[in-house]
Amino acid sequence: MSFGKAQGAWHGLIGQIGLTGLVPRKMPECLEQCGHILLSAPIVRLGDQVMASCIINQNCSHLVTEWRIVWKLEPELHPRERQQHLPNGTLQSTITLPHFNHSRVLLSCCLHWGNSLQILDQAELQAGYPPIAPHNLSCIMNLTINSLICQWEPGPDTHLSTSFTLKSFKSQDQCQTQKDSIPDCVPEDGQSHCSIPRRHLQLYQDMSIWVQAKNALGTSISPKLCLAPMDVVKLEPPTLWALEPSPGVAPPQPGCLRLRWETWKPSLYIEQKCELRHQPRLGEAGWDLVSALPARTPEHELCGLLPSTAYTLQMRCTRWPLPGHWSEWSPSLELITTQRAPIVRLDTWWRQRQLDPQTVAVQLFWKPIALEEESGQIQGYLVSRRPSDQAGAEPTLCDTTELNCTFQLPPEAREVLLQAYNTAGSSHPTPVVFLESRGPPLGRLHATARDPHSLWVGWEPPRPPPQGYVIEWGLSPPSPNGSPMTWRLEHDGSIAGTLLQENIRPFQLYEITVTPLYQDTKGPSQHVYAYSQEMAPSHGPELHLRHIGKTWAQLEWVPEAPELGKSPFTHYTIFWTNTQDQSFSTVLNASTHSFVLRGLEPSSLYHVHLMAASQAGATNSTILTLMTLALEESELHIILGLFGLLVLLICLCGAAQFCCRPSRKYSLWPSVPDPARSSLGSWVPTIAAEDIFQLPSLRDPGMPPITKITVLEEEEKKPGPWESNDGSGTGSLSTLVQAYVLQGDPRVPSTQPQPQSGNSDQVLYVQVLGSPTGPGPGHYLRCDSTQPLLEGLTPSPKSYENLWFQTSPLGAPEPLVPHPEDDSIFEPLLDFPLLQGLRVSGAEGLGGF
């Protein structure tokens, strides 16, 4: 590789690997021819090891103070390869690629020169596989170009440039002895076939042929082929022609074709055999093969085909009896087989109409039913009074390609003949006898739609059973284009119904006629009408307002008359909407023709519409707008009065409820019992559990002593005989305090009479000071009051009645030490109503008491 090409390739590599700071530049002239690369092998097998050396000449070693050689194997750099100085003064850098897996790549030896890399030399490395032996070698002798054409399959890609050569030589003894060699045939690049010209061949002499594949890693050859060129000859296909009829030759039979062919002229001296294949032009039938046709008899009659059918024919030939290859199929030839007289059964039906006493108009219908698969194609129909081959035949009544015909007959005519014909002949005549209607009729003829495209018609067979039935159906009324009625002949007289699927369209009314057929007569025709599919009603009944009030409105409607083809109504739905877009609805059955809207608002506007539904769909009526009546002035006053009374009643009930609840009552004013209208037991208020204030137990030793007494009322009085004379206890009091003690449970009303005190205008209230369990003495005091207490004064307790206070010999009261069993003595004191309101405070103004 030249250095200029290598330098250009390196510029491309630098762009691919994206080296930073290494800009390729033109190599200085002083470095040219300084280095070259030596390879262990330029072409190796894929995956083999490759070694390369870059040698720097000794003349260039003084140009660079430090040689830093870098290897590049696109697109990678290999800067750390082995580098050494040889004894002859040269510098050598070696690189080893243990597994070379590139099919074609450039290896470069570079030098760091300033900020760039300078390419000293480049070498191309290739890798691939040795060629695989070609296979499937075959040859054909083409007499058109007079060459032996051989082709083969080259095998998988080797990734290397591989050449193929077709080699051959003339031989004897079945290619055991080599005689004259034949020049090699080299195909063009990329092709796997080659041609040996006729001038190098002996057509009837054996020759050995093989293919050689060669590349840089090896050579391989295909298996040898031993053949004579004429044994592999491939002829050109013949040309097919239709055999024209001749005057002296009878026409072909129905279902037969006559054809001829012409062989390829250069092969006239070669014995051949041919094959013919054919298939119908229309349809999906495959090819049928006719073999062993002698080429020297270029005519053939092909039979057993469908009559009046177009066929496609092709032919090919080969060398026979000697070996050879089949030619290609000839161009197609299309022929139509001979006609065959129709073999059909004609089902007939008719209609008669009296025009005048001497003329009857007859409309005849028929349907051809093929009796054989290979029945001839029908080209027309003939209607006549007598067969056309009889002497004195009258002119035909009809000659038509349609399936019906109208003609006139005298009243005494009772029979005509119907025939189908084509170019090959006519079918057997079918007699048509005009029967009189004298048989029994059908019973209970009815018809229903099975789906939008079919109708089921049924009946009760008459007695005796007929031989068959004629069913006619068509649109009612007939369509404007005058399309004829569709009809069918049923040959089974025991059936009681049939399904009509021909010419049935949805949402159409059909008239169906059924006529029974007997041996020599027919029964009267019966008619029935049916829709193929019912439609939804076209419109709903009109809605009317009959009466209206302030909160109600009576509606009515007239149901529509039943329509043919329209499904009857199954139910109604009434919708009404107010001005606030609030919608209401109700569903009614089909027998309902009126409805009352209730719960309306006075003097309000409503929109009402009626929806009528059937099995085929629903339809809406027109919208009715109505307004309810307004309320009168007297009614309005009554309503407002009732509303006011209701509000007042609600307020009274709320106030009573509020006042009767204890929790609400005590929150507004304190609950103070009236001593004049209550007993001691009734002073205990009924307090909810959450309202009771829990006082400490009198037996609790940790209870602090009461140190303050509040005097409710005081007056100067003389000390009574029951009061203590101890000055330490009462000397600081300015008034006498009278004591009162409650005996027993205060919740139980007392039954003992209370004696009246001398002072009837005062009631003594009490307050307890001290603690019954404290170290100091306790006191039980009472004060004067101007109101009676329990309708009388309570006398001072006796010493045996006051269980809390006992007088010591010295006159000082001693507290009674409580005992656990004496709960009844202390517990009632806490329930006394006045004691629950005592305020515990200090003992200011009470002195040592």
Side-chain angles (χ1 to χ4, degrees), residues 117-145:
L117 282 177
Q118 302 296 332
I119 299 177
L120 300 179
D121 194 13
Q122 283 186 321
E124 185 181 43
L125 288 175
Q126 296 184 48
Y129 301 101
I132 304 297
H135 55 284
N136 289 342
L137 175 63
S138 62
C139 298
I140 293 176
M141 182 64 195
N142 191 325
L143 297 181
T144 304
I145 61 175

Side-chain angles (χ1 to χ4, degrees), residues 84-198:
Q84 60 180 350
H85 292 273
L86 300 180
N88 57 3
T90 61
L91 179 64
Q92 181 181 7
S93 177
T94 306
I95 184 174
T96 301
L97 304 175
H99 301 286
F100 187 72
N101 55 4
H102 300 273
S103 60
R104 182 184 295 267
V105 72
L106 285 176
L107 180 65
S108 304
C109 177
C110 304
L111 171 67
H112 276 286
W113 183 270
N115 293 329
S116 62
L117 282 177
Q118 302 296 332
I119 299 177
L120 300 179
D121 194 13
Q122 283 186 321
E124 185 181 43
L125 288 175
Q126 296 184 48
Y129 301 101
I132 304 297
H135 55 284
N136 289 342
L137 175 63
S138 62
C139 298
I140 293 176
M141 182 64 195
N142 191 325
L143 297 181
T144 304
I145 61 175
N146 263 338
S147 297
L148 181 66
I149 303 173
C150 296
Q151 61 182 6
W152 61 89
E153 294 184 12
D157 187 15
T158 62
H159 303 290
L160 297 174
S161 176
T162 303
S163 63
F164 296 89
T165 304
L166 181 65
K167 294 180 172 294
S168 60
F169 60 84
K170 301 175 184 178
S171 64
Q172 291 179 348
D173 303 331
Q174 295 182 355
C175 300
Q176 298 297 324
T177 303
Q178 180 177 353
K179 292 187 67 177
D180 299 334
S181 61
I182 299 175
D184 294 341
C185 180
V186 179
E188 297 180 4
D189 292 341
Q191 295 185 352
S192 57
H193 60 84
C194 197
S195 300
I196 302 175
R198 168 71 176 81

Side-chain angles (χ1 to χ4, degrees), residues 372-436:
E372 294 183 9
E373 184 180 359
E374 297 180 359
S375 176
Q377 184 178 4
I378 298 175
Q379 294 180 344
Y381 300 93
L382 286 174
V383 181
S384 61
R385 295 283 301 273
R386 295 177 184 175
S388 58
D389 55 352
Q390 293 184 3
E394 297 181 4
T396 58
L397 300 176
C398 285
D399 186 356
T400 179
T401 59
E402 302 294 333
L403 296 178
N404 60 86
C405 176
T406 302
F407 51 89
Q408 296 179 0
L409 290 175
E412 63 273 8
R414 287 289 179 265
E415 182 180 355
V416 295
L417 297 178
L418 175 65
Q419 288 179 296
Y421 68 89
N422 57 19
T423 56
S426 301
S427 65
H428 294 290
T430 301
V432 180
V433 180
F434 304 116
L435 303 176
E436 295 182 1

Side-chain angles (χ1 to χ4, degrees), residues 536-537 540-541 567-573 590 610-620:
S567 179
F569 294 136
T570 56
H571 62 275
Y572 300 103
T573 305
L610 178 68
M611 183 181 72
S614 65
Q615 293 182 352
T619 182
N620 291 331

Side-chain angles (χ1 to χ4, degrees), residues 239-524:
T239 303
L240 287 176
W241 305 91
L243 185 61
E244 298 295 336
S246 59
V249 179
Q253 296 295 322
C256 293
L257 290 174
R258 288 179 179 176
L259 68 155
R260 65 182 182 90
W261 61 90
E262 182 179 344
T263 57
W264 183 49
K265 290 183 179 181
S267 64
L268 291 177
Y269 63 93
I270 301 175
E271 292 290 336
Q272 305 176 36
K273 71 175 180 178
C274 301
E275 288 181 348
L276 178 69
R277 68 177 184 179
H278 58 86
Q279 69 173 359
R281 184 178 60 184
L282 302 178
E284 299 179 356
W287 290 97
D288 291 331
L289 188 65
V290 180
S291 60
L293 296 178
R296 294 193 178 277
T297 307
E299 292 182 2
H300 183 69
E301 184 175 10
L302 183 64
C303 293
L305 306 178
L306 297 176
S308 186
T309 304
Y311 280 87
T312 301
L313 300 97
Q314 291 179 337
M315 179 176 279
R316 66 178 182 175
C317 298
T318 184
R319 184 177 179 233
W320 186 82
L322 298 176
H325 291 282
W326 284 101
S327 67
E328 300 293 336
W329 289 103
S330 67
S332 298
L333 173 66
E334 292 187 356
L335 296 177
I336 300 177
T337 55
T338 309
Q339 287 281 1
R340 185 178 183 180
I343 305 176
V344 294
R345 183 193 77 216
L346 297 173
D347 291 341
T348 60
W349 181 241
W350 72 93
R351 292 178 184 172
Q352 290 181 327
R353 183 167 54 92
Q354 188 79 33
L355 297 180
D356 54 56
Q358 302 298 325
T359 308
V360 176
V362 179
Q363 187 177 13
L364 182 64
F365 306 93
W366 59 86
K367 284 186 178 180
I369 308 298
L371 299 179
E372 294 183 9
E373 184 180 359
E374 297 180 359
S375 176
Q377 184 178 4
I378 298 175
Q379 294 180 344
Y381 300 93
L382 286 174
V383 181
S384 61
R385 295 283 301 273
R386 295 177 184 175
S388 58
D389 55 352
Q390 293 184 3
E394 297 181 4
T396 58
L397 300 176
C398 285
D399 186 356
T400 179
T401 59
E402 302 294 333
L403 296 178
N404 60 86
C405 176
T406 302
F407 51 89
Q408 296 179 0
L409 290 175
E412 63 273 8
R414 287 289 179 265
E415 182 180 355
V416 295
L417 297 178
L418 175 65
Q419 288 179 296
Y421 68 89
N422 57 19
T423 56
S426 301
S427 65
H428 294 290
T430 301
V432 180
V433 180
F434 304 116
L435 303 176
E436 295 182 1
S437 180
R438 294 179 300 180
L442 295 173
R444 292 190 57 191
L445 181 64
H446 60 277
T448 56
R450 287 290 181 87
D451 55 63
H453 298 279
S454 66
L455 285 170
W456 171 263
V457 55
W459 58 83
E460 288 184 359
R463 294 296 180 185
Q467 293 182 343
Y469 301 92
V470 174
I471 300 98
E472 302 174 84
W473 65 95
L475 293 176
S476 178
S479 58
N481 56 11
S483 59
M485 297 278 290
T486 306
W487 65 280
R488 182 200 302 174
L489 178 60
E490 294 287 348
H491 295 276
D492 186 2
S494 62
I495 64 174
T498 185
L499 185 64
L500 309 180
Q501 295 178 299
E502 185 181 358
N503 296 333
I504 302 294
R505 294 180 297 172
F507 308 113
Q508 300 295 328
L509 177 63
Y510 287 88
E511 179 185 2
I512 305 171
T513 304
V514 181
T515 305
L517 301 178
Y518 299 93
Q519 178 66 33
D520 296 321
T521 185
K522 66 175 183 175

